[in-house]
Amino acid sequence: MSSAGFPEGFVWGVSTSAYQIEGATSADGRLPSIWDTFSADRAEACDHYHRYAEDVRLMKDLGMAAYRFSVSWARVFPQGDGKPNAAGLDFYDRLLDELGDAGITPYATLYHWDLPQALEDRGGWPSRDTARHFADYAAAVHERLGDRVDTWFTLNEPWVAAFLGYGSGSHAPGRTSAAEAFRSAHHMLLGHGLATQALRAAGAARVGAVLNLSPVMTPAQVSDFDRPLSDEDAEAVRRIDALANRQFLEPMLRGSHPAELLPIVERNGGLGHVRDGDLQTIAQPLDLLGVNYYTPLVVQAQPSELADPAWPGSEGVLFCTVPTAVTAMGWPIVPGGLSLLLRRLSHDHPDLDLMITENGADFVDVVTGDDIHDVERISFIEEHLRALRAAVEEGARVRGYLVWTLLDNLEWSDGYRRKFGLVHVDFATQRRRPKDSALWYRDVIRRNGLAETRPRRPTLETVA
Ligand code: GBH
């Protein structure tokens, strides 16, 4: 491994999700998902459903070794259950053939937030039945695609789906109940366990889950991770870490609940939905944990009894803005947070293989003629890759890195104005144009690492 290089066999690629790129929301028997119901935008997205061959060619030209996509549940079970819709599965069949021809390894995610509306109408994730339907769906997808997909991810970011979907209501289905958010989180975890069992029984080669994980820190720690904390701040950090990270990590990887969580759930609807044996079902051995890293959570104790609706249990905690560089969405850019997170995961779960399944940023790109200059995206990825390599050198078992995302796409509640792509999409014509970052990333993949140059601008770490 050269000083800027990565281990041999390190996997490079990109991630996408079905709702954000596919479009064709009523093609071949598909019925609405909760996002079709919720979203004001016409969901033609990138029309990837019809342009997948072009998109695979693009990935091939950019040297991608891996492609993580998600399957739309509403294509496979438009009514939520019954007989799988073969025409819906055909699309993924075609996509996988194309990927196979291009020599790109597929990583399939089963749930990237797009519950069939029919299941929401029957109670959604607050209902325990949804977990069982999820396992049936996983089995049906594996039955059809399992000969070409080795690695399966059950859920993407259950925190977002549960707490933004059912807590703050900023995501579909837009419900606003702390109790339903906690019930949803538990039923998603249960669905993960049941789906993992079903996938194993069907002979799936590798099964994992994808979590959005964030190191939690105070404002002062953003520039000095080792800064000591007052007792009040330490408690605030621990509590938010339990809600954001350990609420999912501990059931999946240890079969337990974090101690801080239980009194919070007791105060927010109670624990009646948690049955004996659930934790055992959830804690299936995992081959791979997908880590999505964007930004840390910055908090401090404050003397107030208000909780953010996305964070039931956060009474007395202030979510802080910090004077660092931010992305266009205002998310603080803290590459060192990735090393911190990986160090901690390696310490807490030493035998677990990790993969960075999403990392990336939205910026305002500069379009000059045919060129799209996105120096900020290049710096963002470069700095995060340096942080990742530092963690790998210390022994973190990170098997690959996937950029979020291939294409400018439909960014959930924010619609089309957020630009996360390595590739620019003109939504009037659906024309794709690789940005500078795409060509830069192609070179990273070719040399299996970064060029031996210094960062283009000082990072937080070099300033501190
Ligand atoms: C991912 O989620 C999704 O998997 C993907 O579909 C999406 O397109 C992509 O990210 C970009 O949004 O405002 O400072 O408090 C990201 C999960 C959770 C990360 C909320 C940022 C808030 C940061 N996000 N978090 S802040």
Side-chain angles (χ1 to χ4, degrees):
M1 183 160 93
S2 81
S3 70
F6 281 75
E8 226 185 278
F10 193 81
V11 176
W12 297 98
V14 282
S15 283
T16 66
S17 89
Y19 171 73
Q20 293 178 275
I21 64 168
E22 284 181 0
T25 52
S26 48
D28 302 320
R30 186 189 180 285
L31 288 175
S33 79
I34 54 175
W35 273 96
D36 300 308
T37 309
F38 183 77
S39 187
D41 287 271
R42 256 189 77 231
E44 185 188 348
C46 306
D47 194 32
H48 172 75
Y49 192 79
H50 298 113
R51 294 167 199 265
Y52 66 95
E54 175 187 353
D55 292 337
V56 171
R57 213 175 313 123
L58 197 52
M59 285 192 273
K60 188 183 180 192
D61 290 346
L62 293 172
M64 304 297 170
Y67 176 49
R68 170 176 170 255
F69 64 97
S70 81
V71 176
S72 156
W73 190 345
R75 290 197 194 285
V76 181
F77 285 102
Q79 309 277 6
D81 62 358
K83 219 165 69 61
N85 170 31
L89 280 162
D90 285 348
F91 167 67
Y92 300 101
D93 202 75
R94 296 192 290 274
L95 172 66
L96 287 167
D97 284 347
E98 209 67 44
L99 289 166
D101 288 346
I104 298 171
T105 306
Y107 288 71
T109 303
L110 288 164
Y111 188 67
H112 202 124
W113 309 351
D114 48 356
L115 187 72
Q117 181 62 43
L119 289 181
E120 173 62 18
D121 295 342
R122 285 145 75 179
W125 284 110
S127 157
R128 190 176 172 93
D129 286 345
T130 302
R132 198 171 38 77
H133 291 309
F134 182 61
D136 293 344
Y137 156 65
V141 177
H142 183 276
E143 159 115 30
R144 181 71 190 274
L145 309 177
D147 57 337
R148 280 154 299 154
V149 177
D150 277 347
T151 308
W152 296 88
F153 291 116
T154 54
L155 307 171
N156 178 73
E157 301 192 348
W159 182 86
V160 172
F163 288 87
L164 302 188
Y166 295 86
S168 74
S170 59
H171 276 200
R175 294 206 232 169
T176 51
S177 151
E180 288 186 349
F182 283 116
R183 289 174 70 92
S184 295
H186 180 71
H187 292 147
M188 286 177 199
L189 284 164
L190 184 64
H192 157 79
L194 294 169
T196 302
Q197 287 176 334
L199 290 164
R200 297 262 187 238
R206 298 204 295 170
V207 184
V210 174
L211 299 177
N212 58 304
L213 298 176
S214 294
V216 187
M217 57 186 75
T218 61
Q221 288 182 319
V222 174
S223 50
D224 174 7
F225 294 154
D226 297 323
R227 187 76 151 252
L229 297 181
S230 68
D231 290 350
E232 294 75 31
D233 283 345
E235 189 278 326
V237 164
R238 262 202 316 278
R239 187 144 44 97
I240 298 306
D241 181 62
L243 288 165
N245 301 316
R246 283 178 288 125
Q247 178 170 196
F248 300 94
L249 286 169
E250 289 195 10
M252 279 184 182
L253 299 170
R254 298 197 203 285
S256 59
H257 283 125
E260 297 89 339
L261 186 72
L262 299 178
I264 295 174
V265 184
E266 281 291 6
R267 288 199 305 276
N268 287 280
L271 284 153
H273 56 285
V274 181
R275 297 195 190 158
D276 283 352
D278 282 1
L279 281 169
Q280 252 169 298
T281 304
I282 295 166
Q284 299 300 309
L286 288 192
D287 301 301
L288 189 62
L289 179 71
V291 175
N292 293 356
Y293 175 70
Y294 289 91
T295 188
L297 283 161
V298 185
V299 301
Q300 67 186 34
Q302 69 164 346
S304 144
E305 281 311 311
L306 292 175
D308 182 312
W311 297 97
S314 73
E315 292 85 353
V317 177
L318 178 67
F319 289 83
C320 306
T321 48
V322 281
T324 58
V326 293
T327 68
M329 269 161 110
W331 297 351
I333 302 174
V334 186
L338 180 58
S339 326
L340 195 67
L341 178 64
L342 293 172
R343 227 174 271 144
R344 173 240 178 123
L345 288 170
S346 305
H347 174 270
D348 292 352
H349 309 282
D351 299 327
L352 185 65
D353 273 3
L354 305 171
M355 181 162 200
I356 306 303
T357 36
E358 289 182 27
N359 175 239
D362 72 312
F363 289 110
V364 178
D365 299 327
V366 180
V367 183
T368 359
D370 266 356
D371 296 331
I372 296 118
H373 302 302
D374 57 342
V375 281
E376 292 169 296
R377 182 167 294 100
I378 294 174
S379 299
F380 182 98
I381 298 173
E382 184 172 32
E383 290 172 27
H384 284 79
L385 287 177
R386 283 184 202 287
L388 169 56
R389 190 170 50 85
V392 169
E393 276 172 358
E394 289 170 29
R397 297 166 51 145
V398 184
R399 304 309 185 202
Y401 175 87
L402 309 178
V403 171
W404 183 269
T405 180
L406 177 66
L407 303 169
D408 287 344
N409 64 30
L410 179 44
E411 176 58 26
W412 305 108
S413 311
D414 281 342
Y416 294 100
R417 68 206 166 99
R418 301 297 182 191
K419 311 291 181 188
F420 276 86
L422 294 172
V423 174
H424 180 274
V425 177
D426 177 342
F427 289 102
T429 61
Q430 291 293 351
R431 181 173 170 220
R432 277 86 161 125
R433 278 180 295 169
K435 304 178 189 176
D436 287 352
S437 59
L439 306 174
W440 173 86
Y441 190 49
R442 182 183 59 187
D443 290 340
V444 171
I445 299 173
R446 271 197 196 137
R447 66 169 96 81
N448 193 36
L450 297 166
E452 307 275 343
T453 53
R454 321 185 119 261
R456 260 154 251 256
R457 61 180 168 77
T459 62
L460 270 171
E461 288 88 318
T462 54
V463 170

